[in-house]
Amino acid sequence: MSTAPTHTLQPTLLLAWGEDRPGILDEVAHFLYERGANISDSKLLSARGTFILMIVLATDSPGMARIRTDLAGLASSSRIGAELRDAKPERHAEGAFPYRFTASGSDQAGVLHKLSHLLRALNVNIEDVHTRVSPARESHRPQFELRLLLSVPRATPVIKLREYLGTLCGELGIQWDLVAG
């Protein structure tokens, strides 16, 4: 009786960055597809002409060897920076609950710092951040919008989290909302 060789999948993180232009994602995704890799998670950020791409991929040992060997060629031909890193196991805090925090108001320095500091003190993990500043309009001041995806541990009472966020956001003069999910 013969058995087919088994290849374990190796989750790996691919980081790519450079000058943004149409086709970057297509080139990277095609490169990975040709080498038998599956993309299990990805994030792409494009800001002011620069992009950053993070991809969690999985492939067997021969596919990973091809990716490692050919990555410099992709970087050169696509005019990007690229590197591979070992992916850590997916981390889901046991007993943590997902929440979405949004805030908006007049743009001012230090809002993200003050919010992230408060969340750190409460042991709340920030899993995703999106901020945007819009040009001044009627108020003659630029406006900001902020969205945080949070992982709130069971040991952190949500009622206290809301109280602390309310106090801080009141001091900053910003509107905010915190919703489960």
Side-chain angles (χ1 to χ4, degrees):
M1 180 164 103
S2 78
T3 58
T6 59
H7 298 287
T8 58
L9 297 181
Q10 301 174 349
T12 303
L13 181 64
L14 170 65
L15 301 172
W17 62 91
E19 186 175 329
D20 194 20
R21 62 176 171 75
I24 295 283
L25 183 58
D26 177 45
E27 292 169 19
V28 174
H30 183 256
F31 171 84
L32 295 172
Y33 173 75
E34 282 186 323
R35 287 149 186 85
N38 182 46
I39 297 172
S40 60
D41 195 6
S42 63
K43 289 218 185 252
L44 173 68
L45 173 65
S46 178
R48 307 225 176 187
T50 298
F51 82 92
I52 299 173
L53 174 63
M54 295 187 312
I55 294 177
V56 177
L57 61 103
T59 189
D60 57 19
S61 296
M64 185 53 62
R66 287 186 60 208
I67 291 169
R68 288 188 191 285
T69 299
D70 299 344
L71 188 61
L74 169 70
S76 176
S77 67
S78 295
R79 301 178 318 278
I80 63 172
E83 70 179 62
L84 294 170
R85 294 187 178 188
D86 292 335
K88 297 188 186 317
E90 196 164 5
R91 193 181 123 237
H92 294 291
E94 194 170 314
F97 303 101
Y99 276 83
R100 185 175 58 248
F101 173 82
T102 55
S104 61
S106 293
D107 188 34
Q108 55 190 295
V111 171
L112 185 58
H113 166 69
K114 290 172 183 174
L115 286 166
S116 64
H117 185 75
L118 171 63
L119 295 169
R120 177 184 184 183
L122 296 171
N123 201 32
V124 173
N125 190 44
I126 301 170
E127 295 186 354
D128 192 49
V129 177
H130 180 79
T131 61
R132 180 170 189 85
V133 174
S134 302
R137 294 199 181 123
E138 303 86 41
S139 68
H140 305 293
R141 290 193 64 187
Q143 299 293 302
F144 82 92
E145 296 174 16
L146 173 127
R147 183 192 75 228
L148 304 175
L149 298 181
L150 307 175
S151 182
V152 180
R154 183 178 306 260
T156 302
V158 175
I159 195 160
K160 281 296 193 189
L161 173 61
R162 287 183 189 281
E163 180 183 322
Y164 293 142
L165 285 170
T167 299
L168 178 59
C169 292
E171 290 171 3
L172 295 170
I174 60 177
Q175 293 85 41
W176 66 279
D177 193 23
L178 179 69
V179 295

Coordinates of all heavy atoms in Angstrom, one line a residue, residues 83-128:
E83 N 8.7 41.4 2.1 CA 9.4 40.4 2.9 C 8.4 39.4 3.5 O 7.2 39.7 3.6 CB 10.1 41.2 4.1 CG 9.3 41.8 5.1 CD 10.1 42.5 6.2 OE1 10.8 43.5 5.9 OE2 9.9 42.1 7.4
L84 N 8.9 38.3 3.9 CA 8.2 37.3 4.6 C 8.5 37.2 6.0 O 9.7 37.4 6.4 CB 8.4 35.9 3.9 CG 8.0 35.8 2.5 CD1 8.6 34.5 1.9 CD2 6.5 35.8 2.3
R85 N 7.5 36.9 6.8 CA 7.7 36.7 8.3 C 6.9 35.5 8.7 O 5.8 35.2 8.1 CB 7.2 37.9 9.1 CG 8.1 39.1 8.8 CD 7.7 40.2 9.7 NE 8.5 41.4 9.5 CZ 8.5 42.5 10.2 NH1 7.7 42.5 11.3 NH2 9.3 43.5 10.0
D86 N 7.3 34.8 9.7 CA 6.5 33.7 10.2 C 5.3 34.3 10.8 O 5.3 35.3 11.6 CB 7.3 32.9 11.3 CG 8.5 32.2 10.7 OD1 8.5 31.8 9.5 OD2 9.5 31.9 11.5
A87 N 4.1 33.7 10.5 CA 2.9 34.1 11.1 C 2.7 33.5 12.5 O 2.9 32.3 12.6 CB 1.7 33.8 10.2
K88 N 2.3 34.3 13.4 CA 2.0 33.8 14.7 C 0.6 33.2 14.7 O -0.2 33.5 13.8 CB 2.0 34.9 15.7 CG 3.4 35.5 15.9 CD 3.5 36.5 17.0 CE 4.7 37.3 17.2 NZ 5.9 36.7 17.1
P89 N 0.3 32.2 15.5 CA -1.0 31.6 15.5 C -2.1 32.7 15.8 O -1.8 33.7 16.4 CB -1.0 30.7 16.7 CG 0.4 30.5 17.1 CD 1.2 31.7 16.6
E90 N -3.2 32.5 15.1 CA -4.3 33.5 15.3 C -4.7 33.6 16.8 O -4.8 32.6 17.4 CB -5.5 33.1 14.5 CG -6.5 34.2 14.3 CD -7.5 33.9 13.2 OE1 -7.5 32.8 12.6 OE2 -8.3 34.8 12.9
R91 N -4.8 34.8 17.2 CA -5.0 35.0 18.7 C -6.4 35.6 18.9 O -6.7 36.6 18.4 CB -4.0 36.0 19.2 CG -3.9 36.1 20.7 CD -2.9 37.1 21.1 NE -3.6 38.1 22.0 CZ -3.7 39.4 21.8 NH1 -3.2 39.9 20.8 NH2 -4.4 40.1 22.6
H92 N -7.2 34.8 19.6 CA -8.5 35.2 20.0 C -8.5 35.2 21.5 O -8.4 34.1 22.1 CB -9.6 34.3 19.5 CG -9.8 34.4 18.0 ND1 -10.2 35.5 17.3 CD2 -9.5 33.5 17.0 CE1 -10.2 35.3 16.0 NE2 -9.8 34.1 15.8
A93 N -8.6 36.3 22.1 CA -8.5 36.3 23.6 C -9.8 35.6 24.1 O -10.9 35.9 23.7 CB -8.5 37.8 24.1
E94 N -9.5 34.6 24.9 CA -10.6 33.8 25.4 C -11.5 34.7 26.3 O -11.0 35.4 27.2 CB -10.0 32.6 26.3 CG -11.1 31.6 26.6 CD -10.4 30.3 27.1 OE1 -9.4 29.9 26.6 OE2 -10.9 29.8 28.2
G95 N -12.8 34.6 26.1 CA -13.7 35.4 26.8 C -13.7 36.9 26.5 O -14.3 37.6 27.2
A96 N -13.1 37.2 25.4 CA -13.1 38.6 25.0 C -14.3 38.8 24.0 O -14.7 37.9 23.3 CB -11.8 39.0 24.3
F97 N -14.8 40.0 24.0 CA -16.0 40.3 23.2 C -15.6 41.4 22.2 O -14.9 42.4 22.5 CB -17.1 40.8 24.1 CG -17.5 39.8 25.1 CD1 -17.0 39.9 26.4 CD2 -18.2 38.7 24.8 CE1 -17.4 39.0 27.4 CE2 -18.6 37.7 25.7 CZ -18.1 37.9 27.0
P98 N -16.1 41.3 20.9 CA -15.8 42.3 19.9 C -16.7 43.5 20.1 O -17.9 43.4 20.3 CB -16.1 41.6 18.6 CG -17.1 40.5 18.9 CD -16.8 40.1 20.4
Y99 N -16.1 44.7 20.0 CA -16.9 46.0 20.0 C -16.3 46.9 18.9 O -15.2 46.8 18.5 CB -16.7 46.7 21.3 CG -17.7 46.2 22.4 CD1 -17.4 45.0 23.1 CD2 -18.9 46.8 22.6 CE1 -18.3 44.5 24.0 CE2 -19.8 46.4 23.6 CZ -19.5 45.2 24.2 OH -20.4 44.7 25.2
R100 N -17.2 47.8 18.4 CA -16.8 48.8 17.4 C -17.0 50.2 18.1 O -18.1 50.5 18.5 CB -17.6 48.6 16.2 CG -17.2 49.6 15.1 CD -18.0 49.3 13.8 NE -19.4 49.5 14.0 CZ -20.3 48.5 13.9 NH1 -19.9 47.3 13.6 NH2 -21.6 48.7 14.0
F101 N -15.9 50.9 18.1 CA -15.9 52.3 18.7 C -15.8 53.3 17.5 O -14.9 53.1 16.7 CB -14.8 52.5 19.7 CG -14.6 53.9 20.2 CD1 -15.4 54.3 21.2 CD2 -13.7 54.7 19.6 CE1 -15.3 55.7 21.7 CE2 -13.6 56.0 20.0 CZ -14.4 56.5 21.1
T102 N -16.6 54.2 17.5 CA -16.5 55.3 16.5 C -16.5 56.6 17.2 O -17.2 56.8 18.2 CB -17.7 55.2 15.4 OG1 -18.9 55.3 16.1 CG2 -17.6 54.0 14.6
A103 N -15.8 57.6 16.6 CA -15.8 58.9 17.2 C -15.6 59.9 16.0 O -15.1 59.6 15.0 CB -14.6 59.1 18.2
S104 N -16.1 61.2 16.2 CA -15.9 62.2 15.3 C -16.0 63.6 16.0 O -16.5 63.7 17.1 CB -17.0 62.2 14.2 OG -18.3 62.3 14.8
G105 N -15.4 64.6 15.3 CA -15.4 65.9 15.9 C -14.4 66.8 15.2 O -13.8 66.4 14.2
S106 N -14.1 67.9 15.8 CA -13.1 68.8 15.3 C -11.7 68.2 15.5 O -11.4 67.7 16.5 CB -13.1 70.2 16.1 OG -14.3 70.9 15.8
D107 N -10.9 68.3 14.4 CA -9.6 67.6 14.5 C -8.8 68.3 15.5 O -8.8 69.6 15.6 CB -9.0 67.7 13.1 CG -7.7 66.9 13.0 OD1 -7.6 65.8 13.7 OD2 -6.7 67.3 12.3
Q108 N -8.0 67.5 16.3 CA -7.1 68.0 17.3 C -6.1 67.0 17.6 O -6.3 65.8 17.4 CB -7.9 68.3 18.6 CG -8.7 67.1 19.1 CD -9.7 67.5 20.2 OE1 -9.2 67.9 21.3 NE2 -10.9 67.4 20.0
A109 N -4.9 67.5 17.9 CA -3.8 66.6 18.2 C -4.0 65.8 19.4 O -4.6 66.3 20.4 CB -2.5 67.4 18.3
G110 N -3.7 64.5 19.4 CA -3.7 63.7 20.6 C -4.9 62.8 20.8 O -4.9 62.0 21.8
V111 N -5.9 62.9 19.9 CA -7.1 62.1 20.2 C -6.8 60.6 20.2 O -7.2 59.9 21.1 CB -8.2 62.4 19.1 CG1 -9.4 61.5 19.2 CG2 -8.7 63.9 19.3
L112 N -6.1 60.1 19.1 CA -5.9 58.7 19.1 C -5.0 58.3 20.2 O -5.2 57.2 20.8 CB -5.2 58.3 17.7 CG -5.0 56.9 17.5 CD1 -6.3 56.1 17.6 CD2 -4.4 56.6 16.1
H113 N -4.0 59.1 20.6 CA -3.1 58.7 21.7 C -3.9 58.6 23.0 O -3.7 57.6 23.7 CB -2.0 59.8 21.8 CG -1.3 59.7 23.2 ND1 -0.5 58.6 23.5 CD2 -1.3 60.5 24.2 CE1 0.0 58.8 24.7 NE2 -0.5 59.9 25.2
K114 N -4.8 59.6 23.3 CA -5.5 59.6 24.5 C -6.5 58.4 24.6 O -6.6 57.7 25.6 CB -6.2 60.9 24.7 CG -5.3 62.0 25.0 CD -6.0 63.4 25.0 CE -4.9 64.5 25.2 NZ -5.5 65.8 25.1
L115 N -7.1 58.1 23.5 CA -8.0 56.9 23.4 C -7.3 55.6 23.6 O -7.7 54.7 24.3 CB -8.8 56.9 22.1 CG -9.9 58.0 22.0 CD1 -10.5 58.1 20.6 CD2 -11.1 57.6 23.0
S116 N -6.2 55.5 22.8 CA -5.4 54.2 22.9 C -4.8 54.0 24.3 O -4.7 52.9 24.8 CB -4.3 54.2 21.8 OG -3.4 55.2 22.0
H117 N -4.4 55.1 24.9 CA -3.8 55.0 26.3 C -4.9 54.5 27.3 O -4.6 53.7 28.1 CB -3.3 56.4 26.7 CG -2.6 56.3 28.1 ND1 -1.4 55.7 28.2 CD2 -3.0 56.7 29.3 CE1 -1.0 55.8 29.5 NE2 -2.0 56.4 30.2
L118 N -6.1 55.1 27.2 CA -7.2 54.6 28.0 C -7.5 53.1 27.8 O -7.6 52.4 28.7 CB -8.5 55.5 27.8 CG -9.8 54.9 28.4 CD1 -9.6 55.0 29.9 CD2 -11.0 55.7 28.0
L119 N -7.6 52.7 26.5 CA -7.9 51.3 26.2 C -6.8 50.4 26.7 O -7.1 49.3 27.2 CB -8.2 51.2 24.7 CG -9.4 51.9 24.2 CD1 -9.5 51.9 22.7 CD2 -10.7 51.3 24.8
R120 N -5.6 50.9 26.6 CA -4.4 50.1 27.1 C -4.6 49.9 28.6 O -4.4 48.8 29.2 CB -3.1 50.8 26.8 CG -1.9 50.1 27.4 CD -0.7 50.9 27.1 NE 0.5 50.2 27.5 CZ 1.7 50.7 27.5 NH1 1.9 51.9 26.9 NH2 2.8 50.0 27.9
A121 N -4.9 50.9 29.4 CA -5.1 50.8 30.8 C -6.2 49.9 31.2 O -6.1 49.3 32.3 CB -5.3 52.2 31.4
L122 N -7.2 49.7 30.3 CA -8.3 48.8 30.6 C -8.1 47.4 30.0 O -8.9 46.6 30.0 CB -9.6 49.4 30.0 CG -10.0 50.7 30.7 CD1 -11.2 51.3 29.9 CD2 -10.4 50.5 32.1
N123 N -6.9 47.2 29.4 CA -6.5 45.9 28.8 C -7.3 45.6 27.6 O -7.6 44.4 27.3 CB -6.5 44.8 29.9 CG -5.6 43.6 29.4 OD1 -4.6 43.8 28.7 ND2 -6.0 42.4 29.8
V124 N -7.8 46.6 26.9 CA -8.7 46.4 25.7 C -7.7 46.4 24.5 O -6.9 47.3 24.3 CB -9.7 47.5 25.6 CG1 -10.5 47.4 24.3 CG2 -10.7 47.4 26.8
N125 N -7.8 45.3 23.7 CA -6.9 45.3 22.5 C -7.6 46.0 21.3 O -8.8 45.7 21.1 CB -6.6 43.8 22.2 CG -5.6 43.7 21.1 OD1 -4.6 44.4 21.2 ND2 -5.8 42.8 20.1
I126 N -6.8 46.8 20.7 CA -7.3 47.5 19.4 C -6.9 46.6 18.3 O -5.7 46.4 18.0 CB -6.7 48.9 19.3 CG1 -7.1 49.7 20.5 CG2 -7.2 49.5 18.0 CD1 -6.4 51.1 20.6
E127 N -7.8 46.0 17.5 CA -7.5 45.1 16.5 C -7.5 45.7 15.1 O -6.9 45.2 14.2 CB -8.5 43.9 16.5 CG -8.4 43.1 17.7 CD -9.3 41.9 17.7 OE1 -10.1 41.7 16.8 OE2 -9.2 41.1 18.7
D128 N -8.1 46.9 15.0 CA -8.1 47.6 13.7 C -8.4 49.1 13.9 O -9.2 49.4 14.8 CB -9.2 47.0 12.7 CG -9.0 47.5 11.3 OD1 -7.9 47.4 10.8 OD2 -10.0 47.9 10.7

